[in-house]
């Protein structure tokens, strides 16, 4: 049995199950789900959409 | 021998000059050819413009109107402080030391934020929470929530409203939080971080991106600027939701969204 792990869009690190990470659809295209881990969110690191290359926040 | 050498040098010089001249002539000819093509293209363009002249004039007028609206409301005026996070949204610095926000960034970010919020807006539910502790932000937030059916928080935000299910004010199905100022709305920002809710925020030049998932660069201190930001956001969302077909059909005006509070220094001046 394999478990799918979500990857942080900012740092590329796999997100652990009980970590207070968030996910939301890409604000620009809406097709890709963006994941942000707790550390990246606290530091205000930028994320990039894989499809439309939108850079946020 | 010396004379022969001199003669040969002179002949070489003359040949070089002739070659240069011939190359110049070629270049000029090429340039003339280019000019002909350009002229043709210009003629083609003018023909096209004569067909689409009226539409283009309308578009330019709309753009200018929008630009004038932005400038008159002062949405581009920042503060004298500049953080590293805000550096990418800056256009220039004035002689007085104020940083000016790039208007194109503001416009594109407003559209992007509307695109994101339109996925969560659902009338009558508490999915989208809009909060403002600032005095001038209370009226725009109330109107925004009235127009779209979101939950407005303009009084004190009770701690635990997003994290503690045992209290009365607990909001169960929060999906997005919109805040006006990351400094002033610090409590709801921290709670949203704990409750795993994305945060959209207006972003001035002295703010940091900590805990924010989408920033809209704009002046978040002026009452006109706040009114304009929320008015444009509400209009864009209602267009994307299909509530209105065009921008002119939006039932609220900009004056409805601007705060009616008179600043204290204006009151003192009127008394004198």
């Amino acid at each position: 049995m394999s478990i799918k792990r979500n990857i942080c869009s900012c740092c590329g690190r796999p997100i652990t199950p009980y970590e207070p990470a968030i996910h939301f659809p890409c604000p620009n295209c809406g097709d890709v789900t963006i994941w942000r881990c707790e550390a990246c969110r606290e530091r205000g690191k930028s994320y990039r959409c894989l499809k439309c290359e939108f850079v946020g926040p | 021998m010396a004379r022969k050498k001199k003669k040969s040098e002179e002949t070489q010089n003359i040949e070089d000059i002739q070659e240069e001249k011939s190359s110049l002539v070629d270049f000029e000819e090429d340039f003339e050819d280019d000019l002909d093509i350009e002229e043709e293209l210009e003629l083609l363009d003018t023909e096209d413009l004569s067909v689409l002249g009226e539409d283009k004039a309308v578009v330019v007028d709309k753009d200018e109107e929008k630009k004038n609206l932005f400038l008159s409301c002062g949405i581009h005026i920042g503060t004298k402080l500049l953080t590293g996070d805000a550096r990418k949204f800056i256009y220039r610095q004035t002689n007085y030391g104020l940083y000016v926000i790039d208007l194109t960034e503001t416009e594109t970010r407003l559209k992007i934020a509307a695109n994101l919020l339109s996925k969560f807006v659902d009338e009558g539910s508490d999915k989208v929470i809009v909060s403002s502790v600032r005095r001038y932000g209370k009226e725009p937030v109330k109107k925004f929530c009235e127009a779209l059916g979101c939950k407005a928080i303009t009084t004190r935000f009770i701690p635990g409203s997003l994290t503690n299910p045992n209290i009365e004010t607990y909001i169960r199905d929060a999906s997005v939080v919109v805040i006006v100022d990351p400094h002033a709305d610090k409590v709801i920002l921290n709670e949203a971080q704990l409750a795993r809710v994305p945060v959209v925020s207006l972003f001035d030049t002295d703010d940091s991106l900590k805990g924010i998932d989408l920033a809209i660069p704009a002046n978040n201190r002026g009452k006109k600027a706040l009114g304009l930001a929320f008015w444009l956001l509400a209009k864009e969302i209602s267009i994307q939701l299909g509530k209105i077909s065009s921008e002119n059909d939006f039932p609220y005006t900009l004056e409805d969204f601007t705060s009616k509070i008179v600043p204290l220094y204006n009151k003192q001046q009127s008394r004198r």
Side-chain angles (χ1 to χ4, degrees), chain B residues 4-111:
Chain B
K4 277 184 181 177
K5 272 186 180 178
K6 273 186 182 177
K7 274 186 180 178
S8 62
E9 280 175 4
E10 280 174 3
T11 50
Q12 274 183 357
N13 286 329
I14 289 159
E15 282 172 1
D16 290 337
I17 289 160
Q18 280 176 351
E19 276 180 10
E20 277 177 12
K21 274 185 180 177
S22 64
S23 65
L24 276 170
V25 167
D26 290 340
F27 176 72
E28 278 173 6
E29 279 173 1
D30 290 341
F31 192 64
E32 277 173 9
D33 288 340
D34 287 338
L35 270 176
D36 288 334
I37 293 159
E38 279 177 3
E39 278 173 9
E40 281 175 12
L41 285 168
E42 275 178 14
L43 284 167
L44 284 168
D45 283 340
T46 48
E47 277 174 11
D48 288 336
L49 276 173
S50 63
V51 175
L52 301 165
E54 291 173 5
D55 294 340
K56 198 157 191 177
V58 169
V59 169
V60 168
D61 283 344
K62 269 188 178 179
D63 285 344
E64 275 186 10
E65 267 180 30
K66 212 167 195 180
K67 194 182 162 187
N68 288 333
L69 188 70
F70 277 130
L71 293 173
S72 64
C73 292
I75 202 166
H76 63 294
I77 297 164
T79 57
K80 284 187 179 181
L81 293 170
L82 180 68
T83 55
D85 295 332
R87 194 155 289 180
K88 59 185 173 184
F89 302 124
I90 295 302
Y91 174 61
R92 70 184 179 96
Q93 190 180 15
T94 60
N95 294 332
Y96 300 105
L98 286 167
Y99 287 96
V100 178
I101 298 162
D102 195 354
L103 279 178
T104 51
E105 281 285 336
T106 308
E107 201 182 344
T108 49
R109 284 296 178 118
L110 274 169
K111 280 181 183 170

Side-chain angles (χ1 to χ4, degrees), chain A residues 17-31 36 38 41-44 46-47 54-57, chain B residues 85 88-89 109 111-113 115-116 119-120 189 192-199 209-215:
Chain A
Y18 295 102
E19 192 179 332
I22 63 145
H23 63 97
F24 52 91
C26 170
N28 197 23
C29 63
D31 298 334
R36 293 185 87 195
E38 191 190 5
R41 211 181 169 203
E42 269 180 14
R43 289 166 196 161
S46 60
Y47 57 83
F54 169 74
V55 180
Chain B
D85 295 332
K88 59 185 173 184
F89 302 124
R109 284 296 178 118
K111 280 181 183 170
I112 287 166
N115 195 14
L116 177 71
K119 282 161 194 155
F120 296 102
L189 186 67
Q193 210 166 344
L194 288 169
R196 303 184 191 189
V197 180
V199 179
L209 286 170
K210 283 177 185 174
I212 296 167
D213 298 302
L214 185 65

Side-chain angles (χ1 to χ4, degrees), chain B:
Chain B
M1 287 290 282
R3 281 180 185 174
K4 277 184 181 177
K5 272 186 180 178
K6 273 186 182 177
K7 274 186 180 178
S8 62
E9 280 175 4
E10 280 174 3
T11 50
Q12 274 183 357
N13 286 329
I14 289 159
E15 282 172 1
D16 290 337
I17 289 160
Q18 280 176 351
E19 276 180 10
E20 277 177 12
K21 274 185 180 177
S22 64
S23 65
L24 276 170
V25 167
D26 290 340
F27 176 72
E28 278 173 6
E29 279 173 1
D30 290 341
F31 192 64
E32 277 173 9
D33 288 340
D34 287 338
L35 270 176
D36 288 334
I37 293 159
E38 279 177 3
E39 278 173 9
E40 281 175 12
L41 285 168
E42 275 178 14
L43 284 167
L44 284 168
D45 283 340
T46 48
E47 277 174 11
D48 288 336
L49 276 173
S50 63
V51 175
L52 301 165
E54 291 173 5
D55 294 340
K56 198 157 191 177
V58 169
V59 169
V60 168
D61 283 344
K62 269 188 178 179
D63 285 344
E64 275 186 10
E65 267 180 30
K66 212 167 195 180
K67 194 182 162 187
N68 288 333
L69 188 70
F70 277 130
L71 293 173
S72 64
C73 292
I75 202 166
H76 63 294
I77 297 164
T79 57
K80 284 187 179 181
L81 293 170
L82 180 68
T83 55
D85 295 332
R87 194 155 289 180
K88 59 185 173 184
F89 302 124
I90 295 302
Y91 174 61
R92 70 184 179 96
Q93 190 180 15
T94 60
N95 294 332
Y96 300 105
L98 286 167
Y99 287 96
V100 178
I101 298 162
D102 195 354
L103 279 178
T104 51
E105 281 285 336
T106 308
E107 201 182 344
T108 49
R109 284 296 178 118
L110 274 169
K111 280 181 183 170
I112 287 166
N115 195 14
L116 177 71
L117 291 173
S118 63
K119 282 161 194 155
F120 296 102
V121 169
D122 189 15
E123 255 186 68
S125 69
D126 299 340
K127 278 191 172 181
V128 179
I129 302 163
V130 192
S131 167
S132 171
V133 177
R134 283 193 176 278
R135 283 172 69 207
Y136 294 145
K138 285 177 184 178
E139 192 68 30
V141 164
K142 277 178 191 169
K143 280 284 169 191
F144 180 83
C145 293
E146 190 187 308
L148 298 168
C150 311
K151 187 172 175 61
I153 298 173
T154 50
T155 53
R156 180 177 171 267
F157 178 78
I158 296 161
S161 295
L162 288 175
T163 50
N164 188 1
N166 297 325
I167 59 171
E168 283 179 12
T169 53
Y170 178 65
I171 303 160
R172 197 167 293 277
D173 47 345
S175 299
V176 190
V177 170
V178 183
I179 55 172
V180 168
D181 189 3
H183 283 299
D185 301 307
K186 202 165 72 178
V187 182
I188 195 165
L189 186 67
N190 288 336
E191 291 240 335
Q193 210 166 344
L194 288 169
R196 303 184 191 189
V197 180
V199 179
V200 179
S201 170
L202 291 182
F203 190 75
D204 213 334
T205 56
D206 61 339
D207 295 326
S208 73
L209 286 170
K210 283 177 185 174
I212 296 167
D213 298 302
L214 185 65
I216 305 164
N219 176 13
N220 57 14
R221 284 176 171 79
K223 62 178 178 182
K224 278 185 183 175
L226 281 171
L228 180 68
F230 277 98
W231 183 62
L232 288 171
L233 204 59
K235 202 162 68 170
E236 198 66 36
I237 290 168
S238 41
I239 287 169
Q240 287 193 13
L241 287 173
K243 284 183 180 177
I244 53 168
S245 55
S246 67
E247 286 185 0
N248 299 326
D249 297 340
F250 194 59
Y252 299 93
T253 57
L254 179 58
E255 285 175 5
D256 296 334
F257 273 72
T258 45
S259 178
K260 274 89 186 171
I261 300 166
V262 182
L264 279 170
Y265 61 87
N266 278 7
K267 276 184 186 174
Q268 286 168 358
Q269 280 179 354
S270 62
R271 276 174 199 167
R272 284 171 192 174

